[in-house]
Amino acid sequence: NDDIEYWNLVRFNYVRAISFVAMTVEQGLRHFLTNCGFRLPGEAQRIDRIMTTFSQCYWEDNAGDHLRCPFDDQDTVFLLSFAIIMLNT
């Protein structure tokens, strides 16, 4: 259990170090996946964890900016991001 919490914190802090301010979801996701020093794993459960963290950090940076982030909550960002990933693989 401590290991899981540790890796969750590592993942969150890694993604949180990336700024998604003033980006659309597409721009943020493209930046995240091409310029941030890692490749997505092939397993859906791992992709889910990474996309959950991305959507949380993206939401924190852009909530309230209805021009770039016209969504009501973080879950919508997650669903859209995950769908984009699944459609492109």
Side-chain angles (χ1 to χ4, degrees):
N1 233 357
D2 288 341
D3 281 350
I4 292 171
E5 185 62 28
Y6 171 78
W7 289 113
N8 286 339
L9 286 171
V10 168
R11 184 176 55 252
F12 176 77
N13 286 311
Y14 183 87
V15 178
R16 184 62 278 166
I18 303 162
S19 174
F20 301 107
V21 173
M23 294 184 189
T24 63
V25 172
E26 179 197 0
Q27 291 167 335
L29 191 56
R30 189 177 302 272
H31 174 70
F32 181 57
L33 296 175
T34 58
N35 300 324
C36 295
F38 72 95
R39 289 182 48 205
L40 276 179
E43 184 182 333
Q45 184 179 18
R46 289 182 180 179
I47 293 171
D48 179 270
R49 283 188 230 129
I50 291 171
M51 288 297 99
T52 298
T53 307
F54 164 78
S55 64
Q56 179 182 358
C57 294
Y58 178 85
W59 178 255
E60 288 173 2
D61 284 352
N62 291 289
D65 181 353
H66 295 289
L67 180 64
R68 292 183 179 85
C69 184
F71 310 112
D72 291 330
D73 58 33
Q74 174 185 325
D75 292 338
T76 308
V77 176
F78 169 79
L79 288 171
L80 179 60
S81 301
F82 197 84
I84 290 170
I85 296 300
M86 290 298 116
L87 287 171
N88 283 294
T89 57

